[in-house]
Amino acid sequence: MVIFIIARDSKATWFFATVGKIPYFDKVGHFFIMGLISLCAVAGLAHRLPFPPWRSSFIVMGCIFLLSTIDELSQAFIPSRTFSFADLTASILGIIFLGLIGHRISRQKD
C-alpha cells in the first residue's frame, strides 16, 4: 500500500496516470483496499477470538474501521494530502461489505 501511495504521489508510473483518469477511481480503490484488508483480517482472525462469531467479526472490523478513520483524519494535517469524507465512506463500506464475506469464510472454518 505504501508503494502504491509513493508511486501515485510521485507520478512515477504510467499506470497511475492512466488509471487515475477513471471517474471515482480513488473511491473504488478505498473500497477495495480497505475491504480486502477487512476480508483477510476477519477470515484469518475472527474464528480465533474467544467470543461468539458475530462479535469476533465486529471486533476485527471495528479495529480496521478505527485505523482507517485515523488514517483518513491524519491526512488533514499533511500538506500534500487532503481529508475526504467520501474516501472515508468508501473505506467503511468496503470494510463492512467484504468483512461480512470474511465472516462467512471464518464460519466455514469452525
Side-chain angles (χ1 to χ4, degrees):
M1 191 166 150
V2 171
I3 292 170
F4 282 131
I5 291 170
I6 291 170
R8 172 110 165 83
D9 286 346
S10 68
K11 311 262 191 267
T13 63
W14 63 270
F15 176 78
F16 289 103
T18 305
V19 176
K21 293 178 184 174
I22 297 171
Y24 305 107
F25 168 73
D26 185 38
K27 307 317 176 244
V28 173
H30 278 270
F31 180 89
F32 282 108
I33 288 173
M34 296 313 295
L36 288 172
I37 290 170
S38 180
L39 185 146
C40 292
V42 171
L45 297 174
H47 69 283
R48 297 177 188 267
L49 296 178
F51 302 109
W54 275 107
R55 187 172 180 197
S56 297
S57 295
F58 283 126
I59 289 171
V60 174
M61 285 189 280
C63 291
I64 296 166
F65 167 78
L66 180 65
L67 293 172
S68 178
T69 302
I70 291 169
D71 173 56
E72 192 63 39
L73 289 173
S74 71
Q75 292 183 26
F77 304 104
I78 301 171
S80 63
R81 310 288 297 171
T82 56
F83 168 78
S84 170
F85 187 73
D87 288 350
L88 180 59
T89 303
S91 294
I92 291 168
L93 291 174
I95 290 166
I96 293 169
F97 183 74
L98 294 176
L100 291 175
I101 293 172
H103 172 76
R104 291 196 62 148
I105 292 169
S106 175
R107 292 291 297 149
Q108 293 174 353
K109 292 180 180 180
D110 290 339

